[in-house]
Amino acid sequence: VDWKECLQSAEFITSSDGKFKILEDGSVYTTSAVSLSDEKKTFTILLKDIQEQVQKKIHVSLVKEEKKTQKTRHARDTVLKRTKRRWGPIPSVMIENSLGPFPLQIQQVQSDTAQNYTIYYSASGPGIDQDPKGLFYIERETGNIFATRAVDREQYPSFQIICFATTPDGYSPEVPLVHTIRIEDDNDNAPYFTQDVFEFCVPENSKPGVVVGKLTAEDRDEPDTLHTTLKYRIVSQNPPLPPGFSLHGDTGVITVSSPQLDRELVSRYTVLVEVRDMAGQPFGLCTTGTAVIKIEDTNDNAPSFKQIHYETRVEENRVNVEVLRVSVTDLDEPGSPSSGAVYEIIRGNDDRSFEITTDKNTNEGILCVVKGLDYESAKQRILVIAVNNEAPYMLAPHSQQLSQSTCSVTVHILDVDEGPVFKPCFLRLEVKECEEIGTNIGRYVAEDPETGNSEGICYRIPPGQCNWISIDEKSGEVRTVKVLDRDVGEMRRGQCNITVLAIDRNGKTGTGTIQVVILPGNKNYPRIIKTRYIMCTDRKPICLTAQDGDESPYSMPFVFRITERSLASSWKITGHNENSAYLSPRGDIPFGTYTIPVSVTDNGGRVGENYIEVQYCECVTPTECRSSTRVREGGNVTLGVWAILAMILGSLLLLIFLIYFLCIVILITICGCCGSGVMHRQVADDCANHNLIISNTEAPGEEVMDHNVIHLQNTSDQGGYGIKTGDQQTFEMVKGRGHTLESVKGGGHQTMGSVKEGGGQTVMDTCRYSYSEWHNFTHPRLGEKVHLCRQDEEQKHSEDYLLSYNYEGKGSLAGSVGCCSDQHEEEALDFLDQLEPKFRTLAETCVKR
């Protein structure tokens, strides 16, 4: 089988049927007898390339041959009979790290066909022509296989070489032989622990048999042999006494062997252990390791008072004052519940006049008077105080039950005029973190026991204490003197005890304690971590995640809300969990970029404003969306009210402009009819209602006629009137007629309609004319009309018409060239002085002052 056509490089070549084997050169041979029936025999060759991770399959079908062919190359092969098979020897064995001598013969392969042929032997594969090359070779004539040097089994546990038997002319009477050379293991590797140091913990006073931990070791020699059968043992223990642990030799499990593990005596043990192969035989290889065992504390030591008797004094009628501090000793671990003291007055406090609490910092008992004592009733009180631990007591094995530790306190009551008394004697004030300087956090006042009021008492804080607060000398109001921040210096503990003095008018003092506790504050605004998003056409909801630098209860859960009402109608926010929510559109929206204001409110009520920029693109994945906003084609556009008004005003202005232009054209046409100096007016009165009337009326009253105006002559029966002056011929349209311009003929100028030579008849023509033809027609006539219109009856220029002015140069003193600015007398324009401010500027511009 030419498998290279299917896969160029294959590291593994296997067959799905164990009765067939495939060599690297593609040869397929049977490993046992195969019987072929009438049906085809099929199997699959599997090729794998691990580096390229490619796998191919070749399907092979075997059919029974109907007729055997005789060999012609060697006819004598047909009469050979095999009597003994020597071509398939058992696998060879070579000892690891063999000392030689080299070359060392390890096996011989021979072919039975060597009796009839001259056979040459060769081999290939790992150790021969593949790495490690040159480790083995085979003699060509004898088939002896030799090793050239020692082999490490941990690197090469076995070799599979392929042996070939061929005749001198290249014929192979035998199929290639796969021969296995196994490397027999030598105990050349010592076992080793998987960790440099093993660390374990076990409670003190544990019972024997309690598992402490397990040691693990490995050996690189051949598995399931004596070379990898390991045994563990303890070499030494530090401190050596008492021996408290045992080690299982086969599993490496360390257990407690002594019930006398006392943390107060020894808190840590270091155990040196050994692991040895060859099942622990003395000739086996070994390695040592270290195990550190820490003894955990239990409440096996009861607290005891440092003194069994205390004496103290207190003035009568004093309330909520500290009278004594008692202390205890405990051998258990400091700061743990096993050593935390709990004090109790068990005798002498029937009237509940005394109270004892625990100072968590010093573990001392604070004895206070909570009810006023009467000197006349009792000059002294004797109290009995007991102490226990926060954690229940655990009796150590083989030890006796300990009795509860107690002490007695004698309180002497003094009959004196007492000073001020704080109520309570110990005041706890809580202040939020980062409050402003000068914040009032409470009031701590003392009373005069005799009067029962606070008049005349002043307060102060002795120096040498934490400078967090100040107290008003008269009112006792407590204020902060600095910004209290739990992240700064001495404030990291979060609390401080401050002694306060109260002084009355007689100079007597009283003391009290203020415990200032800094509470976590709501000093940070919640904010959304990511504010820019891209949304594609699938409109997948956007997950908004917020964070807050504050601690609970001023952080989560967060409340998300869209603050702008117009956007809230097209976008919505759906809750997800405590610190995130989903943002999505309510319906179809145009493509584009949306800036959505979203407020985030933390659990403390602090609101953080955020602006979320969502770029809605026509895409499948966000990477396809360009950075610039793309407007969707064919989108609906809604015009606002101002846009509609602008369109209406623009249309009105355009209409006014067209009407204005039409009026100018009509006026020019009328002027052409009123200034001819060579025509006389001959128009019947009954035609005035249907024709344009030529008139030189310049003002109401007298009508001035020009002697040069001639009577109109009817030049056409198509509805037009002609006016003839010299060689010019003009035409004037009558109402309801629709004539067009004709080209200029001969030396004269033609107007509306076509005038035939001699007849003067106009012919209708519907053709259109270019701008140059229209200009040639209108320009000379308009110039003539303007020239006539600006002359008076004496053929002089009139001052009421526009005059031609030449360029006067820069800095000319001439004013406006309009007729209004040339008037020599003032008109009655006094009414302009009473105009409103909007029109005053226009009036000042138009009137010559």
Side-chain angles (χ1 to χ4, degrees):
V1 177
D2 189 1
W3 55 266
K4 290 188 177 181
E5 292 185 357
C6 184
L7 186 62
Q8 189 65 27
S9 59
E11 298 181 10
F12 291 96
I13 306 174
T14 57
S15 172
S16 61
D17 193 341
K19 294 182 180 180
F20 301 94
K21 191 159 188 176
I22 298 91
L23 302 182
E24 292 185 357
D25 60 353
S27 301
V28 182
Y29 62 94
T30 60
T31 58
S32 62
V34 178
S35 175
L36 296 177
S37 60
D38 294 338
E39 298 180 357
K40 293 190 298 183
K41 181 72 174 179
T42 60
F43 64 93
T44 303
I45 299 174
L46 183 63
L47 308 175
K48 291 183 180 180
D49 188 346
I50 298 179
Q51 294 182 354
E52 300 293 335
Q53 297 183 353
V54 179
Q55 178 174 317
K56 299 289 185 178
K57 293 181 179 180
I58 300 176
H59 299 283
V60 179
S61 300
L62 300 179
V63 294
K64 184 177 180 180
E65 291 183 353
E66 297 296 334
K67 181 179 180 181
K68 295 183 178 181
T69 57
Q70 299 293 330
K71 295 182 180 179
T72 58
R73 183 181 181 88
H74 301 279
R76 55 184 176 177
D77 288 348
T78 58
V79 298
L80 291 179
K81 293 184 179 180
R82 187 179 310 173
T83 58
K84 185 178 181 181
R85 182 67 174 171
R86 295 187 297 171
W87 184 233
I90 61 176
S92 304
V93 177
M94 179 181 177
I95 299 177
E96 180 186 14
N97 302 322
S98 175
L99 300 178
F102 296 101
L104 177 66
Q105 182 178 356
I106 58 176
Q107 187 57 279
Q108 181 184 21
V109 293
Q110 285 187 334
S111 174
D112 294 338
T113 59
Q115 300 175 4
N116 302 318
Y117 302 101
T118 299
I119 299 299
Y120 293 145
Y121 301 95
S122 62
S124 66
I128 298 178
D129 54 1
Q130 299 179 15
D131 292 332
K133 295 180 180 180
L135 181 60
F136 305 104
Y137 72 89
I138 187 171
E139 286 186 344
R140 184 181 181 189
E141 291 81 7
T142 63
N144 293 329
I145 300 175
F146 293 89
T148 61
R149 59 183 182 272
V151 183
D152 185 5
R153 190 206 67 83
E154 285 71 39
Q155 187 176 6
Y156 302 104
S158 64
F159 298 88
Q160 276 194 344
I161 62 174
I162 302 175
C163 301
F164 302 94
T166 59
T167 60
D169 58 354
Y171 172 67
S172 298
E174 297 281 3
V175 296
L177 172 67
V178 177
H179 183 65
T180 301
I181 302 175
R182 186 176 63 86
I183 307 302
E184 185 174 348
D185 184 44
D186 180 30
N187 190 21
D188 58 342
N189 291 281
Y192 60 93
F193 286 102
T194 57
Q195 293 178 246
D196 295 335
V197 178
F198 292 88
E199 295 184 355
F200 306 108
C201 296
V202 62
E204 64 177 334
N205 302 320
S206 295
K207 296 180 179 180
V210 174
V211 176
V212 177
K214 182 179 180 181
L215 304 174
T216 56
E218 296 178 353
D219 197 319
R220 297 181 60 219
D221 290 324
E222 186 174 0
D224 302 326
T225 63
L226 280 175
H227 298 164
T228 55
T229 302
L230 307 180
K231 286 286 185 179
Y232 302 88
R233 74 181 184 92
I234 295 178
V235 178
S236 64
Q237 172 187 304
N238 185 26
L241 295 175
F245 306 97
S246 62
L247 179 61
H248 194 281
D250 295 330
T251 62
V253 175
I254 300 177
T255 57
V256 176
S257 62
S258 172
Q260 299 178 356
L261 296 178
D262 191 351
R263 190 203 65 85
E264 288 72 36
L265 297 177
V266 180
S267 61
R268 182 187 298 266
Y269 290 89
T270 302
V271 180
L272 182 65
V273 294
E274 177 192 86
V275 59
R276 185 183 296 270
D277 59 14
M278 300 299 294
Q281 297 295 328
F283 52 82
L285 303 178
C286 66
T287 302
T288 58
T290 302
V292 177
I293 303 173
K294 180 182 177 182
I295 308 302
E296 295 179 341
D297 183 45
T298 59
N299 189 21
D300 60 340
N301 293 280
S304 61
F305 286 97
K306 293 182 179 180
Q307 296 178 225
I308 61 175
H309 182 71
Y310 294 88
E311 287 190 10
T312 185
R313 291 174 174 82
V314 62
E315 298 174 352
E316 63 175 337
N317 300 321
R318 297 291 300 272
V319 180
N320 295 325
V321 292
E322 179 183 327
V323 296
L324 181 67
R325 282 181 175 251
V326 296
S327 58
V328 298
T329 58
D330 197 322
L331 298 178
D332 291 321
E333 187 174 2
S336 66
S338 300
S339 63
V342 178
Y343 300 90
E344 180 186 5
I345 303 174
I346 60 176
R347 191 182 307 161
N349 191 30
D350 296 337
D351 58 352
R352 304 291 181 181
S353 298
F354 297 92
E355 182 182 81
I356 189 168
T357 58
T358 303
D359 189 335
K360 297 299 182 181
N361 297 324
T362 62
N363 210 30
E364 294 176 329
I366 304 174
L367 181 63
C368 294
V369 177
V370 295
K371 290 183 179 180
L373 301 176
D374 187 7
Y375 174 80
E376 288 71 24
S377 300
K379 294 181 175 58
Q380 69 178 18
R381 298 282 296 270
I382 298 176
L383 308 175
V384 178
I385 301 175
V387 64
N388 292 303
N389 288 129
E390 296 177 5
Y393 181 75
M394 297 181 63
L395 185 64
H398 309 291
S399 63
Q400 297 180 355
Q401 180 70 37
L402 296 177
S403 60
Q404 189 180 33
S405 179
T406 60
C407 73
S408 63
V409 178
T410 301
V411 181
H412 298 279
I413 304 172
L414 302 178
D415 186 15
V416 293
D417 185 12
E418 298 178 354
V421 177
F422 282 101
K423 294 183 179 181
C425 64
F426 183 83
L427 177 65
R428 176 187 173 95
L429 295 178
E430 297 179 347
V431 56
K432 289 185 179 181
E433 186 179 13
C434 295
E435 289 283 1
E436 296 181 355
I437 297 176
T439 300
N440 187 352
I441 62 174
R443 191 166 179 261
Y444 197 32
V445 295
E447 294 181 355
D448 190 336
E450 297 179 357
T451 62
N453 57 51
S454 302
E455 294 181 359
I457 299 177
C458 60
Y459 309 91
R460 67 183 181 89
I461 297 175
Q465 306 182 76
C466 54
N467 185 23
W468 289 7
I469 62 172
S470 65
I471 187 168
D472 187 85
E473 185 177 356
K474 294 183 179 180
S475 65
E477 290 185 353
V478 181
R479 297 180 181 274
T480 58
V481 297
K482 59 174 63 176
V483 177
L484 303 183
D485 192 343
R486 294 169 63 95
D487 299 330
V488 178
E490 62 178 5
M491 304 179 191
R492 296 183 186 276
R493 294 182 302 168
Q495 66 179 24
C496 179
N497 292 342
I498 301 170
T499 301
V500 182
L501 299 179
I503 307 171
D504 61 10
R505 294 187 180 96
N506 299 325
K508 296 182 179 181
T509 62
T511 61
T513 302
I514 297 178
Q515 185 182 57
V516 181
V517 179
I518 305 175
L519 300 178
N522 194 10
K523 61 181 179 180
N524 294 297
Y525 291 94
R527 65 181 184 87
I528 297 176
I529 300 174
K530 182 181 178 182
T531 58
R532 291 188 177 183
Y533 296 91
I534 295 177
M535 177 182 288
C536 290
T537 52
D538 57 357
R539 296 193 299 182
K540 183 178 179 181
I542 296 171
C543 185
L544 305 179
T545 303
Q547 66 179 8
D548 195 328
D550 298 323
E551 299 178 2
S552 179
Y554 299 109
S555 56
M556 300 182 294
F558 299 128
V559 177
F560 297 80
R561 189 173 66 89
I562 298 176
T563 58
E564 189 171 333
R565 184 176 299 177
S566 61
L567 291 173
S569 62
S570 57
W571 294 83
K572 65 179 180 179
I573 288 183
T574 306
H576 179 215
N577 52 29
E578 290 188 344
N579 68 329
S580 63
Y582 288 117
L583 174 65
S584 60
R586 294 183 179 274
D588 294 335
I589 58 175
F591 292 109
T593 300
Y594 297 87
T595 301
I596 305 170
V598 178
S599 65
V600 184
T601 307
D602 59 17
N603 197 35
R606 176 156 286 200
V607 180
E609 295 292 338
N610 303 265
Y611 289 92
I612 308 301
E613 182 177 318
V614 180
Q615 187 174 354
Y616 184 29
C617 287
E618 189 175 3
C619 60
V620 179
T621 60
T623 55
E624 299 176 4
C625 182
R626 296 181 299 181
S627 59
S628 60
T629 303
R630 302 191 312 185
V631 181
R632 182 178 61 182
E633 295 182 0
N636 295 327
V637 179
T638 303
L639 295 177
V641 177
W642 293 108
I644 296 175
L645 291 176
M647 294 175 62
I648 295 174
L649 291 176
S651 301
L652 292 176
L653 289 175
L654 179 60
L655 182 60
I656 293 171
F657 177 79
L658 292 177
I659 294 173
Y660 177 73
F661 181 80
L662 182 60
C663 292
I664 291 176
V665 174
I666 294 175
L667 289 176
I668 293 174
T669 305
I670 294 174
C671 289
C673 302
C674 67
S676 178
V678 294
M679 293 285 182
H680 293 284
R681 180 178 179 185
Q682 292 181 352
V683 180
D685 293 337
D686 57 352
C687 295
N689 294 329
H690 304 283
N691 300 291
L692 295 177
I693 306 301
I694 299 175
S695 174
N696 283 349
T697 301
E698 298 175 346
E702 183 181 1
E703 185 180 37
V704 180
M705 297 298 295
D706 192 339
H707 300 286
N708 294 324
V709 178
I710 64 173
H711 297 285
L712 294 177
Q713 297 179 2
N714 190 356
T715 58
S716 173
D717 57 0
Q718 299 293 329
Y721 293 93
I723 301 175
K724 186 174 184 182
T725 305
D727 58 353
Q728 288 186 338
Q729 185 177 13
T730 61
F731 179 77
E732 203 167 300
M733 291 179 60
V734 298
K735 186 176 179 180
R737 305 299 182 179
H739 301 289
T740 59
L741 180 67
E742 288 253 335
S743 59
V744 180
K745 298 182 180 180
H749 296 285
Q750 303 283 336
T751 60
M752 308 299 284
S754 176
V755 182
K756 294 183 179 180
E757 296 181 1
Q761 298 290 333
T762 58
V763 182
M764 286 287 294
D765 194 349
T766 59
C767 65
R768 296 185 179 270
Y769 296 91
S770 64
Y771 171 79
S772 61
E773 295 173 345
W774 172 257
H775 182 270
N776 293 335
F777 169 75
T778 59
H779 187 266
R781 286 157 179 78
L782 290 178
E784 179 182 359
K785 302 305 179 184
V786 172
H787 176 74
L788 294 177
C789 287
R790 70 187 182 185
Q791 292 179 354
D792 56 11
E793 297 177 355
E794 300 177 0
Q795 303 300 320
K796 296 180 181 180
H797 289 288
S798 174
E799 295 181 350
D800 294 334
Y801 294 94
L802 297 176
L803 303 180
S804 298
Y805 287 84
N806 292 328
Y807 177 72
E808 299 177 345
K810 294 183 178 179
S812 175
L813 298 178
S816 173
V817 298
C819 60
C820 294
S821 63
D822 249 0
Q823 295 183 5
H824 299 289
E825 57 181 323
E826 285 289 327
E827 296 180 354
L829 300 178
D830 296 337
F831 70 92
L832 295 177
D833 296 331
Q834 284 77 35
L835 295 176
E836 293 183 359
K838 293 184 179 179
F839 299 95
R840 195 166 298 158
T841 303
L842 179 60
E844 291 175 356
T845 303
C846 295
V847 177
K848 179 180 179 182
R849 293 291 184 181

